[in-house]
C-alpha cells in the first residue's frame, strides 16, 4: 500500500491554500493459493489515486498582469483584462482514478493476458467564465473558475503468445486493444455549455462529437423553401441566420432546420458521431533465428468518424482563405448541381455555398466512419558475434534496417486518417500525411 501525504500548495487562491493528492494500491497473487498446473501466475490488482494538473500560467489564482504601452518613456504593467481578475478560491484541476486489473500467465508462461478497467473523474475543471455585462467588473470580461467535470472510463486488453520458443528459433505474437468512453458530467452553472456555434458540451453526453449541418439533397425549386419572418415582420427566404442578402436558391444544399425555429443558423448543428475510435490497438510480431531478428508492428483504429473537408477546400481555390490550396482529389469524380434531380457532389456554386454556410461546408455528407490498419514499423537486424570484432574491443555489433509507415489500409477518402485530430475529427487537408521513412544503422557496444 502506498500513500502520499498532504502537501502545501502556495499557488492556490487565498481561500484554498491546501491540496491533497493521495494514492493507494493493492494486489493479490492468487496463483500462490491455487494448484492449477496450467496457471503459472495470476494476480488481481486494484488502485486509486488523486492527481492535480498545474495551472498553465504560474499564480493564475492571483490574477495575471501584462506589459502595457510605454508612458513618457517608462515601462508600464497592468492587469490582463481577459484573464487578470483574481479568484481567491481557485485551485488545480483534480482527477480521481480507479483501476482494476488482472494478470494471467499460462502454459509455462507462453500465454499471457493482461486486462484493465479504469474510471477517471476529473473535477474542478478550469473554465474561463464570461462575466455578465462586458467590462462591468472593473474592465474584466472573464474570470478563471473551477466549474466543470468530465468522466472517462475504459477497458484495455493485452494478449501475448510465444508460438515458438527454442534456443535458436523464437516467435512471439502480441496484440492489444483499448476502448474509451467519456461524458461531460457537469458545468459551472448546471447548464449545457453551448459555446462554439452549437458545438458545446451537453451534460451527460459524450465529448469529441463532430458537429455538422444536416442536409437532405439539394434545393430543386425556389418555392420549396419556406418564407421566414424576423421580429419586426421582415420576410425572407430560408437563409443563414436570417441574412436577407444571402438566401438559399436552387442548386444549394437543402439544409435541415434541426431546432424547428423556421430559420437556419448556428443552433442547427447536428452531432454526426464521435471522433474517438470504437477500438484502437496494435499487433506485434517478434522473430529471432540465430543471429537474425525481425520486429513487425501494425496499428489500427476502428469505428471513428472524420469530417473530410478536403474535397470542399480543393474545389474552392478562388476563395481568399483557400487561395492556392492544392487540388487533392480526382476531378473526374466531382460533379456540381445543374438541374432538378441531380445527385451531385457539390452545389451549383461551391464558392457561394462556402460563404453561406460560413465554416467550410461542415455538412453531414462529408462525414465518414473510418477504419484503418497500418504497417507502422518493420525492423530487421543481424548481430555479428565474431572473434574478429572482440579482438577490436567491440562486445556487440548489430546491423539493422528499419522502415516506418510502410503501408496503409483504410476506407478513408482523405489523405491520412492517423493525422486527423482525435478531439475534433475535422480534416481540413492542411496536414501532411505521415512520411514513409527508411533507416539503415549500425549499433556497436564496447
Amino acid at each position: 500500500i502506498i500513500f502520499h501525504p498532504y502537501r502545501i500548495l502556495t499557488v492556490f487562491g487565498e481561500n484554498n491554500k491546501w491540496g491533497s493528492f493521495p494514492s493507494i494500491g493493492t494486489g493479490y497473487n492468487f496463483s500462490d493459493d491455487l494448484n492449477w498446473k496450467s496457471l503459472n501466475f495470476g494476480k488481481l490488482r486494484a488502485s486509486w489515486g488523486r492527481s492535480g494538473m498545474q495551472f498553465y500560467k504560474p499564480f493564475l489564482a492571483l490574477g495575471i498582469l501584462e506589459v502595457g504601452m510605454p508612458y513618457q518613456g517608462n515601462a508600464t504593467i497592468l492587469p490582463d483584462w481577459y484573464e487578470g481578475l483574481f479568484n481567491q478560491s481557485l485551485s488545480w484541476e483534480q482527477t480521481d482514478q480507479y483501476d482494476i486489473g488482472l494478470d494471467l500467465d499460462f502454459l509455462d508462461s507462453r500465454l499471457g493476458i493482461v486486462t484493465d478497467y479504469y474510471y477517471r473523474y476529473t473535477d474542478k475543471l478550469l473554465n474561463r467564465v464570461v462575466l455578465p455585462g462586458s467590462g462591468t467588473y472593473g474592465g474584466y470580461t472573464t474570470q478563471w473558475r473551477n466549474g466543470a467535470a468530465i468522466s472517462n472510463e475504459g477497458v484495455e486488453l493485452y494478449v501475448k503468445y510465444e508460438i515458438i520458443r527454442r534456443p535458436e528459433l523464437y516467435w512471439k505474437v502480441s496484440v492489444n486493444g483499448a476502448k474509451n468512453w467519456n461524458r461531460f458530467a457537469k458545468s459551472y452553472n448546471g447548464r449545457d455549455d453551448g459555446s462554439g456555434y452549437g458545438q458545446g458540451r451537453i451534460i451527460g453526453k459524450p465529448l469529441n462529437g463532430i458537429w455538422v449541418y444536416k442536409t437532405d439533397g439539394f434545393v430543386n425549386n425556389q418555392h420549396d423553401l419556406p418564407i421566414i419572418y424576423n421580429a419586426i415582420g421582415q420576410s425572407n427566404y430560408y437563409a443563414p441566420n436570417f441574412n436577407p442578402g444571402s438566401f438559399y436558391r436552387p442548386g444549394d444544399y437543402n439544409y435541415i432546420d434541426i431546432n424547428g425555429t423556421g430559420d437556419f443558423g448556428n443552433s442547427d448543428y447536428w452531432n454526426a458521431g464521435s471522433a474517438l475510435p470504437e477500438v484502437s490497438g496494435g499487433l506485434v510480431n517478434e522473430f529471432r533465428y540465430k543471429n537474425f531478428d525481425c520486429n513487425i508492428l501494425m496499428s489500427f483504429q476502428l469505428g471513428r468518424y472524420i469530417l473530410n473537408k478536403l474535397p470542399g477546400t480543393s474545389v474552392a481555390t478562388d476563395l481568399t482563405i483557400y487561395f492556392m490550396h492544392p487540388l487533392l482529389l480526382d476531378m473526374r469524380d466531382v460533379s456540381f448541381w445543374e438541374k432538378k434531380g441531380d445527385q451531385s457532389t457539390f452545389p451549383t456554386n461551391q464558392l457561394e455555398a462556402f460563404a453561406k454556410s460560413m465554416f467550410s461546408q461542415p455538412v453531414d455528407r462529408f462525414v465518414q466512419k473510418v477504419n484503418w490498419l497500418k504497417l507502422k514499423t518493420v525492423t530487421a537486424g543481424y548481430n555479428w558475434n565474431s572473434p574478429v570484432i572482440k579482438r577490436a574491443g567491440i562486445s556487440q555489433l548489430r546491423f539493422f534496417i528499419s522502415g516506418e509507415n510502410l503501408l496503409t489500409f483504410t476506407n478513408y477518402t482523405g489523405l491520412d486518417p492517423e493525422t486527423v485530430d482525435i478531439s475534433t475529427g475535422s480534416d481540413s487537408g492542411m496536414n501532411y500525411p505521415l512520411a514513409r521513412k527508411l533507416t539503415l544503422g549500425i549499433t556497436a557496444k564496447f
Side-chain angles (χ1 to χ4, degrees):
I1 296 176
I2 302 172
F3 185 81
H4 297 294
Y6 291 91
R7 32 190 304 204
I8 299 175
L9 304 171
T10 59
V11 296
F12 284 0
E14 180 68 23
N15 300 333
N16 192 22
K17 288 187 175 181
W18 295 81
S20 60
F21 302 100
S23 64
I24 185 171
T26 185
Y28 170 48
N29 293 335
F30 58 85
S31 56
D32 296 339
D33 299 327
L34 297 176
N35 189 21
W36 292 0
K37 292 183 179 180
S38 59
L39 178 65
N40 304 109
F41 178 76
K43 182 177 182 179
L44 183 65
R45 299 173 281 103
S47 64
W48 166 81
R50 176 175 295 169
S51 60
M53 189 180 75
Q54 298 185 22
F55 297 141
Y56 83 104
K57 288 183 178 180
F59 309 108
L60 188 65
L62 307 180
I64 303 299
L65 300 176
E66 62 179 356
V67 176
M69 297 294 293
Y71 178 74
Q72 295 184 353
N74 298 313
T76 63
I77 189 169
L78 67 157
D80 185 339
W81 63 271
Y82 193 50
E83 55 184 8
L85 182 58
F86 68 90
N87 184 345
Q88 294 183 342
S89 300
L90 197 67
S91 68
W92 289 352
E93 295 178 355
Q94 178 177 291
T95 298
D96 287 80
Q97 179 162 332
Y98 305 82
D99 291 274
I100 299 176
L102 180 65
D103 303 333
L104 299 170
D105 281 336
F106 298 94
L107 307 175
D108 195 22
S109 297
R110 294 172 72 112
L111 173 63
I113 300 174
V114 179
T115 181
D116 285 273
Y117 167 79
Y118 64 87
Y119 178 79
R120 184 184 303 121
Y121 188 83
T122 302
D123 200 2
K124 300 181 181 179
L125 280 174
L126 291 172
N127 277 263
R128 187 187 284 119
V129 177
V130 178
L131 300 172
S134 179
T136 300
Y137 294 81
Y140 297 108
T141 58
T142 62
Q143 182 186 40
W144 283 103
R145 298 180 185 176
N146 298 107
I150 292 174
S151 68
N152 280 273
E153 62 179 317
V155 291
E156 298 175 349
L157 177 66
Y158 169 81
V159 179
K160 65 97 175 176
Y161 185 68
E162 296 177 344
I163 300 174
I164 301 175
R165 188 168 62 182
R166 299 174 185 170
E168 293 187 348
L169 180 62
Y170 181 81
W171 178 18
K172 183 177 80 171
V173 176
S174 58
V175 61
N176 67 82
K179 165 65 178 174
N180 176 266
W181 299 267
N182 63 30
R183 68 184 181 93
F184 184 53
K186 69 178 182 181
S187 65
Y188 75 94
N189 59 4
R191 301 177 181 178
D192 296 338
D193 181 2
S195 61
Y197 299 101
Q199 304 174 50
R201 300 175 292 187
I202 301 173
I203 296 177
K205 297 297 183 180
L207 303 168
N208 308 101
I210 297 178
W211 295 84
V212 296
Y213 295 136
K214 196 170 185 179
T215 61
D216 182 17
F218 298 89
V219 177
N220 287 308
N221 296 293
Q222 190 70 49
H223 65 265
D224 292 338
L225 296 173
I227 302 296
I228 56 177
Y229 298 86
N230 62 10
I232 61 175
Q234 183 182 12
S235 65
N236 194 66
Y237 279 116
Y238 200 50
N241 294 320
F242 200 88
N243 183 356
S246 179
F247 58 84
Y248 293 109
R249 303 178 177 86
D252 288 333
Y253 288 127
N254 185 19
Y255 292 102
I256 304 301
D257 178 16
I258 295 293
N259 62 0
T261 58
D263 62 354
F264 177 77
N266 295 332
S267 59
D268 288 300
Y269 275 97
W270 173 69
N271 192 330
S274 175
L276 293 177
E278 290 288 336
V279 181
S280 60
L283 174 67
V284 180
N285 275 277
E286 298 177 44
F287 302 94
R288 187 174 65 249
Y289 176 67
K290 294 185 177 179
N291 292 340
F292 291 93
D293 63 83
C294 182
N295 185 289
I296 301 174
L297 169 62
M298 304 185 77
S299 59
F300 66 88
Q301 286 186 352
L302 304 176
R304 67 166 301 192
Y305 287 86
I306 294 179
L307 172 60
N308 184 11
K309 294 182 179 180
L310 188 146
T313 54
S314 291
V315 300
T317 52
D318 288 340
L319 199 64
T320 304
I321 60 174
Y322 295 105
F323 183 65
M324 296 300 292
H325 191 283
L327 188 64
L328 297 174
L329 74 165
D330 190 342
M331 291 302 294
R332 293 173 296 182
D333 298 329
V334 173
S335 59
F336 296 86
W337 189 95
E338 296 181 15
K339 61 184 184 304
K340 180 180 178 180
D342 281 353
Q343 299 298 320
S344 308
T345 313
F346 297 105
T348 299
N349 188 336
Q350 177 69 356
L351 299 184
E352 186 177 350
F354 262 73
K356 289 177 180 177
S357 65
M358 298 164 286
F359 294 102
S360 306
Q361 290 290 20
V363 295
D364 55 350
R365 61 170 48 216
F366 295 116
V367 176
Q368 299 176 243
K369 189 173 184 179
V370 176
N371 308 309
W372 60 262
L373 172 67
K374 283 193 172 188
L375 182 58
K376 287 295 293 181
T377 60
V378 177
T379 302
Y382 177 75
N383 288 293
W384 187 23
N385 296 322
S386 169
V388 176
I389 64 170
K390 295 186 183 299
R391 286 196 294 267
I394 302 175
S395 61
Q396 181 183 3
L397 187 64
R398 182 173 183 266
F399 303 89
F400 69 90
I401 180 172
S402 177
E404 298 182 28
N405 301 308
L406 300 177
L407 291 172
T408 300
F409 306 93
T410 181
N411 63 335
Y412 184 50
T413 59
L415 296 179
D416 187 347
E418 191 177 5
T419 64
V420 179
D421 191 334
I422 200 70
S423 61
T424 66
S426 180
D427 183 8
S428 62
M430 302 292 186
N431 297 329
Y432 282 103
L434 295 179
R436 184 176 294 134
K437 184 166 64 174
L438 183 66
T439 304
L440 297 173
I442 300 175
T443 302
K445 293 183 180 180
F446 298 89

